[in-house]
Amino acid sequence: EFVINTGNYKFTFNELSNLDKPIDDKKIQISGITSGGRYTLIFYTISKINGKRFSSFLAMYDNKTGSYHQNVSIVNKPDYLSVQSGDKVFPGFEDDCIILLRYPAEILKSDPDYNIKEDSNPVLIKYKLK
């Protein structure tokens, strides 16, 4: 059983142990794995895809059914409520929840009228996964 289907992406021990060498071929880098109830979210980046360098993705694995989706979006309005690859996401205090950390500058960029100051503490946003 797998959590991430890497397809043609393969790693040798030398590639994984020599971090000073630049990546010249397609590689995958996992930037975070977070579990929220029956779902596991995997944030990853592929170094080269379709001529573009460093494309970020969010994968979702359903622990109950075993289904796997390599590229999903959790989109909401306003934009600061959307979950994107590279976001700081943590397991929630309940089994089916995740917590997203959002800095005031990110919120104000999306919603300039939001009642928050740029030097305020980060905001925690709770998501319930169904």
Side-chain angles (χ1 to χ4, degrees):
E1 187 172 338
F2 64 88
V3 174
I4 296 178
N5 181 358
T6 59
N8 294 327
Y9 301 110
K10 298 178 181 165
F11 306 96
T12 66
F13 177 78
N14 288 337
E15 288 171 326
L16 292 174
S17 59
N18 185 2
L19 299 178
D20 296 329
K21 184 179 175 186
I23 297 172
D24 291 329
D25 200 3
K26 288 190 216 177
K27 300 292 178 209
I28 187 170
Q29 176 184 3
I30 298 174
S31 55
I33 298 176
T34 302
S35 184
R38 67 184 268 184
Y39 298 103
T40 299
L41 303 175
I42 303 116
F43 297 88
Y44 67 100
T45 301
I46 297 178
S47 62
K48 283 186 186 178
I49 189 165
N50 299 330
K52 185 178 174 189
R53 292 189 62 80
F54 300 107
S55 296
S56 295
F57 300 95
L58 171 60
M60 184 182 292
Y61 178 77
D62 187 327
N63 301 314
K64 187 174 181 181
T65 66
S67 63
Y68 172 74
H69 309 280
Q70 282 186 255
N71 188 14
V72 299
S73 298
I74 300 175
V75 181
N76 209 334
K77 292 289 180 187
D79 290 339
Y80 67 85
L81 292 175
S82 297
V83 178
Q84 301 166 7
S85 187
D87 282 342
K88 295 186 183 330
V89 179
F90 305 94
F93 299 108
E94 299 165 0
D95 285 342
D96 58 350
C97 293
I98 58 171
I99 303 291
L100 172 68
L101 181 111
R102 200 53 94 202
Y103 291 98
E106 296 172 283
I107 294 171
L108 290 170
K109 181 179 175 184
S110 175
D111 184 0
D113 297 327
Y114 193 85
N115 187 20
I116 193 169
K117 295 180 182 172
E118 203 163 323
D119 61 348
S120 295
N121 288 325
V123 174
L124 298 177
I125 302 169
K126 178 181 172 182
Y127 294 86
K128 185 173 181 98
L129 302 174
K130 298 181 190 183

